[in-house]
């Protein structure tokens, strides 16, 4: 049984075929069948150093579906052509989104990455394809019961040392998946002004001596559902325990700089995770990865905090039956919107760029596709809550119809670099 993976749910299984075995026509057929909109499957990712917050609608029995040694599933990735970097136990295609195609009474699943590699500009548009030859971002739900260690995503300059891209990312805290705040709904950002590089270097050298106390030299901010933050590469941060929607650059590079979190010891290899093996032990390199001016900026909140901004005049949008807001707007590498369609309304929304989307609330239609928000998902179960909209379909306009008389449709939409509709704030 080579070149495919089995997804199982109840009494059925679906073959996920690799590019080697699948006909090249599947991607074209899916794009034509969906009239430019591709249906995606849930993509679950575990982290060995995390405890699931249990707010991403995965069935309670399924959070450890990949085995206890892999850790709990506390992430769901969206529109991903980026493989997860989870060490030697990482499973085949982990972190990669799949397209679901109903064809001849069968369900065919294949990688979104393979479809974009094959069709390129037909899916993501020539603007992005000509520059990147790939889909250069993805988004995710991050759902941890406690805070993460103070850590860093290196820039492209340092990422290339291990053959990876750097990674900026953004946070938005959707109210629909934050029925509880977890153990610590505060995030540490940066380094307290006045802290010396020698102090941080000493913390890093103490990594294997228990608590290296690096967050003593940072500041924490309380997290508020319905708001967000932008986190450039090189910025130290210890994400809090709200369930977080995270648009980000297409990379999974990180290095943990804090050695003890909630009485749990962080393995030494995670400190050196973004460092070439021949430079393990080079603590000065770890300090160099920190964008120092960015981290000691006393106005971190002014420069990185985000409250939603209406896309157009709010009264005019509401009169037409919808509300559209920018929720991630401080980066050239990605952007995101929250679209609400009021009960019983039907609207056509045009965007200049391709995007992925995830349903947060409600049900109805998106062009000819069913859209719905499941309350509970089994590991391996297919859903109708996640799609990828090609640039051509986005520019033509997507008709969204809310079939509920009482409940709004709410969806989150994530876009690639340099969205023509956005002026970066």
């Amino acid at each position: 049984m080579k070149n495919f993976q089995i997804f199982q749910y109840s009494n059925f299984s679906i073959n996920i075929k690799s590019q080697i075995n699948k006909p090249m026509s599947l991607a074209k057929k899916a794009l034509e069948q969906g009239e430019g909109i591709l249906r995606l499957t849930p993509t679950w990712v575990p982290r060995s150093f995390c405890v699931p917050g249990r707010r991403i609608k995965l069935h309670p029995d399924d959070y450890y579906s990949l085995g206890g040694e892999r850790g709990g599933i506390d992430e769901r990735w969206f529109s991903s052509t980026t493989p997860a970097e989870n060490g030697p136990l990482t499973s085949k295609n982990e972190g990669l989104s799949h397209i679901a195609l109903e064809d001849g009474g069968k369900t065919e699943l294949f990688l979104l990455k393979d479809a974009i590699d094959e069709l390129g500009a037909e899916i993501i548009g020539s603007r992005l394809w000509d520059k990147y030859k790939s889909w250069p971002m993805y988004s995710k739900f991050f759902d941890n019961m406690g805070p993460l260690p103070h850590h860093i995503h290196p820039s492209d300059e340092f990422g290339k040392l291990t053959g990876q891209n750097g990674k900026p990312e953004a946070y938005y805290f959707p109210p629909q998946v934050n029925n509880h705040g977890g153990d610590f709904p505060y995030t540490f950002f940066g380094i307290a002004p006045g802290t010396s590089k020698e102090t941080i270097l000493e913390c890093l050298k103490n990594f294997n001596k228990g608590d290296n106390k690096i967050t003593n030299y940072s500041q924490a901010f309380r997290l508020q559902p319905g708001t967000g933050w932008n986190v450039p590469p090189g910025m130290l941060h210890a994400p809090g325990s709200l369930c977080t929607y995270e648009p980000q650059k297409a990379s999974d590079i990180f290095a943990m700089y804090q050695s003890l979190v909630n009485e749990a010891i962080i393995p030494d290899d995670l400190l050196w995770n973004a460092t070439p093996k021949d430079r393990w032990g080079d603590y000065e390199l770890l300090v160099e990865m920190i964008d120092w001016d960015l981290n000691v900026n006393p106005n971190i909140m002014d420069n990185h905090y985000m409250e939603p901004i209406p896309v157009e005049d709010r009264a005019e949008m509401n009169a037409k039956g919808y509300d559209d807001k920018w929720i991630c707007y401080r980066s050239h590498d990605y952007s995101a919107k929250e679209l609400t369609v009021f009960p019983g309304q039907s609207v056509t929304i045009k965007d200049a760029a391709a995007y992925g989307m995830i349903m947060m609330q409600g049900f109805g239609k998106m062009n000819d596709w069913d859209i719905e928000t499941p309350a509970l998902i089994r590991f391996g179960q297919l859903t109708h809550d996640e799609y990828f909209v090609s640039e051509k379909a986005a520019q033509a306009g997507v008709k969204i119809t809310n079939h509920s008389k009482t409940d709004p449709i709410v969806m989150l939409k994530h876009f690639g670099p340099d969205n023509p509709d956005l002026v970066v704030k």
Side-chain angles (χ1 to χ4, degrees):
M1 295 173 62
K2 297 174 64 178
N3 297 323
F4 65 87
Q5 173 183 351
I6 302 295
F7 266 28
Q8 292 185 322
Y9 172 63
S10 297
N11 295 319
F12 71 84
S13 65
I14 301 172
N15 288 344
I16 299 180
K17 301 180 180 179
S18 74
Q19 183 71 28
I20 296 173
N21 287 340
K22 77 175 185 65
M24 291 292 286
S25 61
L26 282 181
K28 189 75 172 178
K29 188 178 295 184
L31 193 65
E32 291 178 356
Q33 183 188 88
E35 297 181 344
I37 299 176
L38 302 169
R39 179 189 175 197
L40 303 183
T41 69
T43 301
W44 308 106
V45 175
R47 297 294 193 186
S48 61
F49 50 85
C50 292
V51 176
R54 298 176 181 267
R55 290 164 295 194
I56 52 178
K57 303 179 182 178
L58 188 59
H59 190 282
D61 292 342
D62 293 347
Y63 279 97
Y64 292 87
S65 289
L66 295 173
E69 64 182 353
R70 295 298 320 280
I73 293 171
D74 74 333
E75 296 184 5
R76 178 179 172 183
W77 289 21
F78 307 121
S79 306
S80 172
T81 59
T82 303
E85 298 290 341
N86 269 336
L89 297 180
T90 305
S91 60
K92 180 178 173 61
N93 295 334
E94 192 162 299
L96 296 176
S97 294
H98 289 79
I99 296 168
L101 169 65
E102 303 287 346
D103 184 37
K106 297 188 301 181
T107 301
E108 298 276 8
L109 303 188
F110 56 98
L111 293 175
L112 174 64
K113 181 182 185 304
D114 288 346
I116 291 175
D117 286 347
E118 178 188 340
L119 300 180
E122 291 184 60
I123 298 178
I124 64 173
S126 58
R127 179 180 61 86
L128 293 180
W129 180 252
D130 291 348
K131 183 173 182 178
Y132 298 98
K133 301 300 183 190
S134 66
W135 175 242
M137 68 87 62
Y138 67 105
S139 192
K140 69 168 71 168
F141 282 153
F142 161 73
D143 175 41
N144 203 42
M145 184 62 75
L148 280 187
H150 216 30
H151 68 275
I152 197 168
H153 302 293
S155 65
D156 287 338
E157 174 189 357
F158 293 102
K160 68 183 180 182
L161 297 178
T162 53
Q164 300 180 79
N165 291 324
K167 189 173 83 162
E169 63 186 14
Y171 303 156
Y172 178 68
F173 311 113
Q176 293 87 353
V177 287
N178 278 297
N179 54 305
H180 66 84
D183 294 340
F184 191 80
Y186 302 81
T187 288
F188 286 95
F189 286 110
I191 298 168
T195 303
S196 68
K197 291 185 180 181
E198 289 73 22
T199 297
I200 300 302
L201 179 62
E202 187 66 22
C203 289
L204 296 174
K205 289 181 176 180
N206 289 335
F207 194 88
N208 290 316
K209 298 179 181 179
D211 184 3
N212 68 347
K213 299 182 173 62
I214 193 169
T215 54
N216 288 4
Y217 308 101
S218 185
Q219 52 186 328
F221 297 85
R222 183 178 179 180
L223 305 179
Q224 177 65 38
T227 69
W229 291 78
N230 193 62
V231 185
M235 184 174 183
L236 279 166
H237 56 293
S241 56
L242 285 191
C243 186
T244 308
Y245 170 72
E246 295 188 15
Q248 55 205 268
K249 191 173 177 177
S251 175
D252 194 27
I253 190 171
F254 64 90
M256 299 299 186
Y257 280 25
Q258 184 179 357
S259 59
L260 182 73
V261 181
N262 279 5
E263 303 307 317
I265 290 290
I266 306 303
D268 182 73
D269 61 327
L270 294 182
L271 172 64
W272 303 104
N273 190 59
T275 307
K277 285 291 182 78
D278 63 354
R279 298 192 67 176
W280 283 33
D282 185 348
Y283 293 96
E284 285 77 11
L285 175 60
L286 298 181
V287 175
E288 287 178 32
M289 289 184 184
I290 301 171
D291 185 326
W292 198 259
D293 290 340
L294 179 70
N295 279 268
V296 299
N297 181 358
N299 300 314
I300 281 179
M301 188 167 185
D302 290 345
N303 296 329
H304 302 288
Y305 176 69
M306 295 181 292
E307 292 197 356
I309 297 174
V311 171
E312 300 175 14
D313 180 83
R314 198 159 196 178
E316 292 182 8
M317 289 190 293
N318 292 177
K320 296 176 183 177
Y322 72 99
D323 195 49
D324 203 7
K325 296 176 286 190
W326 292 107
I327 54 174
C328 298
Y329 48 79
R330 290 189 180 273
S331 174
H332 289 281
D333 291 298
Y334 47 74
S335 57
K337 293 179 179 180
E338 180 187 75
L339 173 65
T340 300
V341 179
F342 302 150
Q345 299 296 309
S346 183
V347 300
T348 297
I349 304 295
K350 293 184 178 182
D351 289 283
Y355 60 89
M357 55 78 65
I358 178 69
M359 288 286 291
M360 301 303 301
Q361 189 173 347
F363 69 97
K365 284 281 191 179
M366 185 170 69
N367 285 357
D368 289 333
W369 285 106
D370 292 325
I371 50 173
E372 58 189 17
T373 311
L376 198 64
I377 308 170
R378 294 306 302 250
F379 183 82
Q381 178 184 347
L382 302 183
T383 60
H384 282 93
D385 66 341
E386 184 184 355
Y387 293 87
F388 191 94
V389 179
S390 68
E391 183 184 82
K392 184 176 180 180
Q395 291 177 349
V398 176
K399 183 179 180 180
I400 301 167
T401 303
N402 188 339
H403 286 168
S404 174
K405 296 180 180 179
T406 56
D407 202 25
I409 281 176
V410 181
M411 65 175 66
L412 304 181
K413 301 160 63 173
H414 29 275
F415 300 84
D418 294 317
N419 189 333
D421 289 331
L422 175 66
V423 177
V424 175
K425 303 295 183 181

